[in-house]
Amino acid sequence: MTEPLEQEILRAAALLRAGELVAFPTETVYGLGADARNPQAVAKIFAVKGRPADHPLIVHLRGAEQLAYWARDIPAEASLLAEKFWPGPLTLILKRTASVPDIVTGGQDTVGLRVPNHPVALALLAAFGDGIAAPSANKFGRISPTTAQHVREDLGDAVPLVLDGGPCAVGIESTILDLTTRRAVILRPGMITAFELGRVLGRNPLFADDPLAPEEVRRRRASGRLVAHYAPRTPLVLTPDDSLPIVLRNALARQERVAVLARHPAPADWPHIVWRVAPDDPAGFAHELYAHLRALDALGCRRIYVQKPIGPAWRAVLDRLERAAAGSGEQTP
Ligand code: TXA
Ligand code: MG
């Protein structure tokens, strides 16, 4: 870590202590952080993001040894998962202690906790010493930032300090696992998969949309998750491989300027289409996804077509793409 960055991290910790906001990199996306024990500081997050107050925040910790301050009735699974996946892109939902301010949890009896795997985030957490409440550092409903530049574009002067830790390695938000009911439930898929979690848990977690998921979890999820999320301003249409040629031919016939995010190069006979290629593997695609969507969104095209990925390994990526498509208000063909 370079000397100026170390100095900035100390300044960031001092700002947090003073009740100010700091944007910082994690391995998933950039976070907009505040002292999680200071309700006035946390309130600034909601104001800057334009986020509804009942939308709970994740508290970032420097290590699993801090769990007991924030969570109670911690099941053995939580410790096993923490040992295996922390620091890393996994958020655990646990019963909260009385120490957690209501504003962090949206008044719920549970709290989301994670230890991020990024040297700058970990250095900040160590320098600050306490929990940092942080959502993604974007305006509510927009695409999460994966570079410091994205944060500045979205939030500008509203944040006194943006720590620059380079592009985020993972690129999409953490897997959220609810451990407050008898069967573990994934509230938000991420790059740590159900299969990997299942190997530690002894059986696969359910997904929140599974009819077998406990009713209370499905209710809770509804409060925290809006379908229209992670959305570019340009309408995004998820397009299966085999219909991509015809969909594009139709768009060209209508003389529309459209863009494509695909996992293979453009065919030679489509010169007028803005075409971006992302890697054909889930981790590589996730890493680049939000930067591609931002770049394509800035072009002012009529539509962005995204080649629809298929298969369980693509679940987290597909979840973000479906939200982006729903948020842009056009139906997938
Ligand atoms: O990767 C990530 O998780 C990033 C980085 C910054 O850590 N953070 C992030 O935060 O994505 P945010 O606020 O954009 O999304 C947090 C999600 C929301 O959908 C929220 O509803 C859910 O976590 N959440 C937080 N606390 C919860 C709780 N107690 N119960 C259920 N859901 C919760
Ligand atoms: Mg977010």
Side-chain angles (χ1 to χ4, degrees):
M1 212 172 288
T2 56
E3 178 67 26
L5 187 53
E6 268 172 32
Q7 290 302 319
E8 282 216 313
I9 289 168
L10 293 180
R11 191 154 74 83
L15 282 166
L16 291 174
R17 254 175 244 124
E20 298 297 333
L21 302 184
V22 171
F24 63 97
T26 81
E27 80 280 36
T28 58
V29 301
Y30 275 69
L32 179 61
D35 178 352
R37 294 202 298 158
N38 179 342
Q40 281 87 30
V42 175
K44 292 181 186 173
I45 294 178
F46 289 90
V48 165
K49 275 192 65 110
R51 173 159 162 147
D54 61 354
H55 213 84
L57 303 177
I58 294 169
V59 178
H60 297 71
L61 307 177
R62 66 163 182 240
E65 73 281 357
Q66 291 184 311
L67 267 182
Y69 178 84
W70 301 91
R72 66 185 153 85
D73 306 339
I74 301 171
E77 289 95 329
S79 309
L80 290 173
L81 290 167
E83 198 167 306
K84 169 89 178 151
F85 295 110
W86 282 356
L90 175 66
T91 297
L92 299 178
I93 305 294
L94 298 168
K95 295 260 170 63
R96 69 148 155 167
T97 60
S99 314
V100 189
D102 277 337
I103 190 166
V104 170
T105 67
Q108 305 196 53
D109 189 34
T110 58
V111 62
L113 300 164
R114 99 173 180 98
V115 179
N117 186 17
H118 191 291
V120 174
L122 288 169
L124 177 63
L125 285 159
F128 179 58
D130 224 322
I132 301 177
S136 50
N138 52 285
K139 289 275 186 191
F140 182 68
R142 311 306 313 177
I143 301 165
S144 294
T146 54
T147 67
Q149 183 57 31
H150 293 164
V151 179
R152 290 189 206 100
E153 283 163 16
D154 275 13
L155 304 179
D157 297 337
V159 187
L161 179 61
V162 181
L163 292 174
D164 191 340
C168 301
V170 176
I172 62 172
E173 304 81 353
S174 59
T175 305
I176 301 183
L177 185 71
D178 190 321
L179 289 176
T180 63
T181 52
R182 276 177 46 201
R183 184 83 185 259
V185 180
I186 293 177
L187 301 185
R188 178 174 72 186
M191 293 314 288
I192 293 181
T193 63
F195 178 73
E196 289 175 277
L197 295 169
R199 277 206 301 220
V200 176
L201 292 167
R203 71 167 165 169
N204 281 350
L206 296 171
F207 285 93
D209 56 5
D210 192 311
L212 291 176
E215 181 60 34
E216 57 177 300
V217 172
R218 285 193 281 155
R219 258 204 319 275
R220 200 177 302 146
R221 164 191 179 248
S223 81
R225 288 189 19 146
L226 304 177
V227 173
H229 217 101
Y230 314 111
R233 291 182 173 83
T234 313
L236 185 149
V237 182
L238 261 176
T239 313
D241 267 354
D242 51 356
S243 49
L244 196 56
I246 183 114
V247 163
L248 292 179
R249 237 180 286 282
N250 289 342
L252 287 181
R254 293 193 298 268
Q255 301 202 312
E256 289 172 351
R257 185 157 172 265
V258 296
V260 175
L261 177 57
R263 304 191 307 282
H264 59 73
D269 53 336
W270 285 335
H272 303 302
I273 294 177
V274 180
W275 193 289
R276 283 191 161 231
V277 183
D280 193 17
D281 67 282
F285 192 94
H287 170 66
E288 294 184 9
L289 173 61
Y290 290 156
H292 282 303
L293 291 185
R294 277 174 183 263
L296 291 173
D297 203 18
L299 299 176
C301 289
R302 176 69 190 83
R303 238 177 259 101
I304 302 168
Y305 294 103
V306 182
Q307 193 189 355
K308 185 175 185 175
I310 299 170
W314 290 91
R315 178 138 193 166
V317 163
L318 187 59
D319 170 80
R320 303 312 187 276
L321 289 173
E322 282 173 341
R323 267 162 225 290
S328 68
E330 288 215 3
Q331 290 306 306
T332 299

